[in-house]
Amino acid sequence: GNSVTQMEGPVTLSEEAFLTINCTYTATGYPSLFWYVQYPGEGLQLLLKATKADDKGSNKGFEATYRKETTSFHLEKGSVQVSDSAVYFCALNFQGGSEKLVFGKGTKLTVNP
Amino acid sequence: GAVVSQHPSWVICKSGTSVKIECRSLDFQATTMFWYRQFPKQSLMLMATSNEGSKATYEQGVEKDKFLINHASLTLSTLTVTSAHPEDSSFYICSARGPNQPQHFGDGTRLSIL
């Protein structure tokens, strides 16, 4: 079946540190890949996405590259801010199919000033 | 941008009562809506997919008589938790999408059953 595995948190960083959150997937076929962010008490917001191999999604200083050879979609940011504190979810779906999103378990990030 | 409104944001009720949660797309026609459940410190679990005007498709293990979903219009879907019990306490999140659009999520509803 289709699944997403992401690194377990929590992750605690100081402001301006480099961030990596690992995400790997298992899927039949070639899914679209997403990173969502959930701020405390809120729903999910799409952070970035990539729809095919070697695509790089980027937004608000975050980026992730769709690596088919390693079935990975790691999230990175060069310099985190306190306002980046949130839970980050990696997800996949198949466009044109049922379009259900399959989520990883989420990684909680805390950035300290 | 596309906005999805979910109401209420927080509800506390007694065991045995039924609770209705609304999900509205405010500025687009949502041909498909999804209902997710999120347990504390865990991921989102898809409960069901509903298409406007047709019956919802439930995921395996989700009781359709327990979690009633209605998607009667292109802007509104409702989830009713019938005869709720403490184990139904959770964070419920809806998402909506129009044709050829990604999913847009509501802010979630925290349900606490006493």
Side-chain angles (χ1 to χ4, degrees), chain A residues 38 43-44 89 99-100 103-104, chain B residues 38 43 46 59 97 103 106:
Chain A
Q38 184 180 33
L44 272 69
F89 292 93
E99 299 185 52
K100 297 187 296 186
F103 287 91
Chain B
Q38 185 179 27
S43 187
L46 179 66
E59 295 299 299
R97 61 170 292 276
Q103 293 181 39

Side-chain angles (χ1 to χ4, degrees), chain B residues 36-79:
Chain B
Y36 296 85
R37 181 174 181 177
Q38 185 179 27
F39 292 98
K41 299 182 180 181
Q42 295 192 31
S43 187
L44 282 74
M45 180 191 75
L46 179 66
M47 299 175 66
T49 303
S50 72
N51 293 299
E52 185 268 337
S54 60
K55 289 184 178 181
T57 301
Y58 289 81
E59 295 299 299
Q60 192 172 13
V62 178
E63 299 177 62
K64 60 181 181 181
D65 294 331
K66 175 75 170 178
F67 300 99
L68 301 179
I69 292 171
N70 183 280
H71 190 171
S73 78
L74 284 171
T75 59
L76 174 64
S77 175
T78 60
L79 167 67

